[in-house]
Amino acid sequence: MANELQPAEQDLVKSTRNIVFERLSAQGAGHGMEHVERVWGLAKRIQASEGGQLLSIELGALLHDVGDAKFHQGQERSGEFAREILGNLQARQDVIESVVHIVDSISFRKDLPASKLTLEAKIVQDADRIDALGAIGIVRAIEFGASRGQPFFLPGDESEATCSHRSTISHFYKKLFKLRKRLNTPFAKAMTHQREKFMNSFLAQYFSEYE
Ligand code: ADP
Ligand code: NI
């Protein structure tokens, strides 16, 4: 297991990071880069514990939202953009294929079975999901909801069974509280226990103040 990048690989990662940063800023998704930087960091930590090819994991993390459907008329274009960016940077073909697989296969909406994912894709998917949890996950959900003009709380949102399906709190039940069970790696599961506990206590506190 290669745990350190060669100098040429480090340059490829650095160039990729800069291109992703430019593209996300240009499309007014500058805050998206903070998410990408966290996912990159998380993916490196998971790789250090679980293995997998480090170069593809780093590139996959950096490129995983580069063609986010939210900014491309509902069409997910990250795989296509990853291929173009890495091709221009003259990355090796096997690295490009591995990264495109990661980027194309990890989305929650696609919901591919883990058996269809490489170890590298499992790791980047875990990193992306971890960043939807905990205090950071709560802030991201609030920001997303606010950007859509979605109410944070609606009557019924105190439980999954009765939730409104139209609020940010509903998103906690529909997605966020389902994520931890679906993480691929033991390392990711262990590090999200506290994040899930915090989300639960945040909601309990919110409901107690609301009463
Ligand atoms: P990513 O592409 O990083 O997996 P998404 O684009 O699906 O994430 O969502 C971005 C952020 O917005 C995540 O933190 C997610 O939990 C949150 N989010 C997505 N859909 C909703 C929603 N309907 N209400 C509130 N938050 C949402
Ligand atoms: Ni993401």
Side-chain angles (χ1 to χ4, degrees):
M1 180 204 324
N3 243 328
E4 290 220 338
L5 298 184
Q6 303 301 312
E9 296 175 331
Q10 286 174 14
D11 287 345
L12 177 60
V13 167
K14 215 178 286 171
S15 305
T16 302
R17 184 198 166 281
N18 292 341
I19 292 170
V20 171
F21 193 91
E22 271 167 31
R23 291 216 182 179
L24 293 186
S25 319
Q27 68 193 28
H31 66 281
M33 200 59 206
E34 291 164 29
H35 163 65
V36 168
E37 301 259 31
R38 289 191 301 265
V39 170
W40 181 27
L42 286 163
K44 284 192 270 191
R45 282 171 65 192
I46 302 172
Q47 190 277 343
S49 149
E50 304 283 331
Q53 202 220 344
L54 183 60
L55 178 62
S56 304
I57 290 169
E58 291 201 31
L59 295 171
L62 287 169
L63 290 160
H64 87 276
D65 275 337
V66 73
D68 191 324
K70 287 194 288 296
F71 304 100
H72 295 93
Q73 290 87 37
Q75 224 193 324
E76 179 53 60
R77 301 186 66 181
S78 297
E80 174 194 336
F81 291 169
R83 186 179 293 286
E84 173 211 321
I85 290 167
L86 295 177
N88 289 340
L89 292 172
Q90 282 154 5
R92 276 197 347 243
Q93 199 57 37
D94 62 306
V95 172
I96 297 180
E97 296 311 326
S98 165
V99 173
V100 170
H101 164 79
I102 294 173
V103 169
D104 273 343
S105 59
I106 65 168
S107 88
F108 182 75
R109 222 174 310 155
K110 275 205 183 129
D111 201 22
L112 288 183
S115 60
K116 291 247 151 73
L117 268 56
T118 57
L119 173 60
E120 289 75 18
K122 287 178 184 165
I123 287 173
V124 177
Q125 183 177 60
D126 277 3
D128 192 33
R129 288 174 167 177
I130 291 170
D131 202 54
L133 301 177
I136 285 174
I138 293 171
V139 171
R140 289 182 72 213
I142 292 171
E143 286 177 347
F144 182 101
S147 76
R148 297 279 164 106
Q150 166 180 284
F152 183 74
F153 171 87
L154 285 171
D157 281 346
E158 293 84 350
S159 79
E160 178 173 7
T162 59
C163 81
S164 65
H165 297 282
R166 290 180 292 114
S167 62
T168 294
I169 290 187
S170 300
H171 179 70
F172 282 63
Y173 301 122
K174 285 193 284 183
K175 178 171 170 187
L176 304 184
F177 286 125
K178 295 193 183 347
L179 284 182
R180 184 159 184 266
K181 291 192 264 311
R182 304 178 49 189
L183 292 171
N184 301 299
T185 63
F187 182 86
K189 256 187 204 152
M191 74 168 289
T192 45
H193 178 67
Q194 180 56 31
R195 293 188 189 222
E196 188 156 285
K197 239 172 74 181
F198 183 77
M199 292 194 300
N200 273 307
S201 70
F202 171 80
L203 287 187
Q205 172 82 17
Y206 186 92
F207 298 140
S208 79
E209 292 176 16
Y210 203 88
E211 272 172 6

